[in-house]
Amino acid sequence: MAALYRGRHRWKRINCLHIFSRKLTGKNDYDLLVIGGGSGGLACSKEAAQLGQKVAVLDYVEPSAKGTKWGLGGTCVNVGCIPKKLMHQAALLGTAVKDAKKYGWQIPDTVSHDWPTMAEAVHNHVKSLNWGHRVQLQDKKVKYMNLKGSLVDEHTVRGLSKAGKETILTAKNIVIATGGRPKYPTNIPGAAEHGITSDDIFWLKKSPGKTLVVGASYVALECAGFLKGIGLDTTVMVRSIALRGFDQQMAGLVTEYMEAHGTRFAWKSVPNRVDKVSSGALQVTWTDTQTGSEHKDTFDSVLWAVGRAPETKALGLDKLGVQLNKQTGKIVVGPDESTSVPNIYAFGDIGEGRPELTPTAIKAGKLLARRLAGQSTELMNYDNVPTTVFTPLEYSCVGLSEEEAEKRHGKDGIEIYHAFYKPLEFTVAERDASQCYIKVVCEQGGTGKILGLHFTGPNAGEVAQGFAVGFQCGATYSHLIQTVGIHPTCAEEMVKVHITKRSGLDATVTGC
């Protein structure tokens, strides 16, 4: 015990000397130290290194409540965008197999999906990305350390290894890009004990089986979509509305399509408890808030998708006086990503009011690195950021929802052009296209500046990405209808919209 005490005392003495030396000489170990090795943190660190900065990245993944862990790259690479899109693709291929018969392909009547095969392929790709990130950091002379970082002062970070070894590092500037993790409800017995989250679903080695997805965020609907798409019995439990923050007409089309294709929805329902029964199945008890009636059903898996919490608690922010939003726990940041403490910056999902989107974090991180290196003064533009929800019928959007446009400009201050269309691919396959829809929200009068653009249909992200460029150029309705479409595509319907909502005319596209 005495030896342990002497060791701790020696560590404190050495590291206090380290900090004192930095304060005395003004020299730091690094120009920039990034806490968080997700997409944003990695982009920021590599950009800074290319600009001649001496850079280090600290990244440490706490296993999920179920023990799931992963490598370098953050949420997007490991438990977000990448595995999600690949499993979404698996589901789309299942639909394509059904369509193929109509196109002349001779396919057996019974076609089944094998989860372990898909999971192994997805895991191998993700692991290749983990390795690729490490190689890139090495190539760009960024020091990578698998340490959990916390702040000591505005220039000092304490890194803690898995084995408990502590390292003190100093830097001119410190950037926090730790993102967030899924939340479990704290008031529902059995929720954490028996449930999983998006931190786990993509790393399961065997099929989750019959699944209840609790929540109606884009994460919830995307997961429910690919689970049903590969043939699993799937139910979504919705407390209030689907896709909060998105255009609600479009959200309705997304869920209508899912319901029409076999996903069950328990609307206006809240779970009360989760119990494991003797068979090993999970019995979920919930209440229908409209009728007050209680219901029960058994599932193989319960996936909680009820929001995310910022990874701020272990950073020691309160000791330094870094201002947080008390309700969300996120860091309050300025337009330049600065916090309330000089030399400490934060961006990405952890920043209050910032979109929780990978490309946004990547771009913001690069711009921050350029500013800190004295190479630029350009700030991140968080307006008109495009995004896509990868549900079975994809939904992409850029700009304002109809609700937000009406709130800002008034009902009489906006004009909405819309169209229901049928993708050519759906015709031979005899697929229902009732929810394939386009909405263009414009300012009323003049050239009709486009305020928002919304699209449900195949390859929605590919469609919206191109039109998003127009938003940066001040696109108007006049520009849109002057553009020649590419035929035959779904995207061409966007430049042909001419019927307004207020006219009350049928907006169904006819002809080829």
Side-chain angles (χ1 to χ4, degrees):
M1 184 61 74
L4 179 61
Y5 175 80
R6 286 196 298 273
R8 286 178 177 172
H9 184 73
R10 184 168 60 253
W11 179 89
K12 287 180 180 178
R13 186 172 67 249
I14 291 169
N15 285 292
C16 283
L17 285 171
H18 187 110
I19 297 170
F20 178 74
S21 175
R22 188 262 302 160
K23 289 181 177 178
L24 191 66
T25 63
K27 291 183 179 180
N28 296 291
D29 299 324
Y30 297 95
D31 297 310
L32 180 66
L33 201 155
V34 179
I35 304 176
S39 301
L42 294 177
C44 181
S45 64
K46 289 184 287 187
E47 185 73 12
Q50 286 184 302
L51 295 171
Q53 301 276 288
K54 187 178 180 183
V55 186
V57 172
L58 273 62
D59 186 63
Y60 186 89
V61 179
E62 286 283 0
S64 74
K66 294 300 175 187
T68 309
K69 51 188 176 181
W70 50 88
L72 182 64
T75 298
C76 176
V77 167
N78 295 283
V79 288
C81 322
I82 299 301
K84 176 270 302 287
K85 181 74 183 291
L86 292 173
M87 292 188 179
H88 171 60
Q89 176 63 13
L92 292 181
L93 288 171
T95 302
V97 168
K98 296 173 186 174
D99 289 352
K101 292 183 180 181
K102 295 285 186 178
Y103 281 92
W105 287 93
Q106 302 301 302
I107 295 172
D109 290 335
T110 303
V111 179
S112 62
H113 180 270
D114 184 63
W115 179 282
T117 300
M118 174 189 70
E120 183 181 7
V122 171
H123 297 167
N124 288 342
H125 178 66
V126 169
K127 288 174 183 176
S128 76
L129 296 177
N130 297 149
W131 175 251
H133 281 309
R134 295 186 71 158
V135 170
Q136 284 180 23
L137 291 179
Q138 189 173 10
D139 288 347
K140 296 184 187 303
K141 304 294 188 294
V142 176
K143 178 68 174 176
Y144 162 65
M145 288 172 269
N146 185 209
L147 301 173
K148 184 192 297 185
S150 61
L151 300 172
V152 176
D153 62 36
E154 68 273 22
H155 294 289
T156 310
V157 169
R158 177 184 291 115
L160 183 67
S161 71
K162 184 179 179 181
K165 182 181 177 182
E166 297 194 61
T167 303
I168 289 292
L169 303 160
T170 62
K172 179 182 177 182
N173 292 302
I174 298 169
V175 168
I176 303 170
T178 48
R181 297 288 288 268
K183 295 190 292 188
Y184 279 98
T186 57
N187 60 339
I188 299 173
E193 182 183 355
H194 303 304
I196 60 175
T197 70
S198 58
D199 273 0
D200 308 297
I201 185 72
F202 303 111
W203 289 92
L204 297 178
K205 292 183 179 178
K206 66 176 185 178
S207 171
K210 181 183 177 182
T211 302
L212 171 66
V213 179
V214 184
S217 63
Y218 72 89
V219 174
L221 298 187
E222 287 176 339
C223 288
F226 72 69
L227 290 173
K228 178 59 187 173
I230 61 173
L232 300 181
D233 187 329
T234 308
T235 301
V236 179
M237 187 172 292
V238 186
R239 176 177 58 87
S240 53
I241 61 173
L243 296 178
R244 184 179 301 279
F246 289 87
D247 186 290
Q248 284 303 291
Q249 181 189 9
M250 307 306 291
L253 293 171
V254 167
T255 54
E256 280 174 25
Y257 184 92
M258 291 177 70
E259 284 189 289
H261 289 78
T263 302
R264 283 193 283 274
F265 280 78
W267 294 101
K268 305 295 182 184
S269 297
V270 292
N272 299 326
R273 61 182 303 112
V274 182
D275 299 290
K276 181 171 277 192
V277 296
S278 57
S279 66
L282 302 177
Q283 179 177 271
V284 180
T285 306
W286 73 91
T287 300
D288 182 323
T289 58
Q290 289 183 308
T291 64
S293 57
E294 188 173 274
H295 302 270
K296 292 183 180 180
D297 198 358
T298 56
F299 301 88
D300 298 309
S301 299
V302 177
L303 172 64
W304 299 99
V306 292
R308 297 176 66 82
E311 286 281 85
T312 53
K313 290 183 179 178
L315 291 171
L317 302 177
D318 52 336
K319 296 175 186 176
L320 271 69
V322 175
Q323 186 182 354
L324 302 179
N325 180 303
K326 292 181 180 179
Q327 287 186 318
T328 64
K330 293 189 175 187
I331 299 174
V332 177
V333 291
D336 61 350
E337 324 303 345
S338 60
T339 70
S340 57
V341 175
N343 304 106
I344 298 177
Y345 299 82
F347 71 94
D349 293 10
I350 204 168
E352 178 60 35
R354 300 308 194 215
E356 295 184 1
L357 297 168
T358 297
T360 311
I362 290 172
K363 188 165 183 61
K366 288 181 177 180
L367 289 173
L368 175 58
R370 292 169 196 166
R371 292 195 302 273
L372 293 178
Q375 300 295 312
S376 172
T377 58
E378 183 183 355
L379 298 174
M380 176 65 188
N381 177 9
Y382 288 101
D383 292 329
N384 297 324
V385 173
T387 191
T388 294
V389 183
F390 290 97
T391 37
L393 184 70
E394 296 176 9
Y395 163 40
S396 63
C397 59
V398 57
L400 304 182
S401 65
E402 182 176 347
E403 293 88 348
E404 185 61 27
E406 188 174 312
K407 183 178 176 182
R408 293 191 192 185
H409 299 272
K411 196 163 189 175
D412 293 332
I414 61 173
E415 192 72 88
I416 296 171
Y417 299 88
H418 67 150
F420 285 94
Y421 71 99
K422 187 161 191 172
L424 183 62
E425 302 91 318
F426 282 26
T427 55
V428 171
E430 299 178 350
R431 287 173 61 184
D432 179 29
S434 301
Q435 291 85 25
C436 292
Y437 180 68
I438 291 165
K439 179 195 290 189
V440 181
V441 183
C442 302
E443 280 186 351
Q444 176 71 279
T447 56
K449 181 182 177 182
I450 300 176
L451 303 172
L453 186 149
H454 303 266
F455 176 97
T456 51
N459 306 302
E462 311 297 343
V463 172
Q465 183 67 80
F467 285 103
V469 176
F471 273 72
Q472 302 305 315
C473 306
T476 66
Y477 178 68
S478 297
H479 291 139
L480 197 67
I481 60 173
Q482 287 166 10
T483 303
V484 176
I486 300 172
H487 187 69
T489 64
C490 295
E492 73 173 310
E493 301 301 339
M494 195 77 79
V495 301
K496 291 160 57 179
V497 288
H498 63 281
I499 293 176
T500 65
K501 259 194 173 184
R502 78 173 74 241
S503 73
L505 298 174
D506 184 2
T508 304
V509 174
T510 56
C512 69

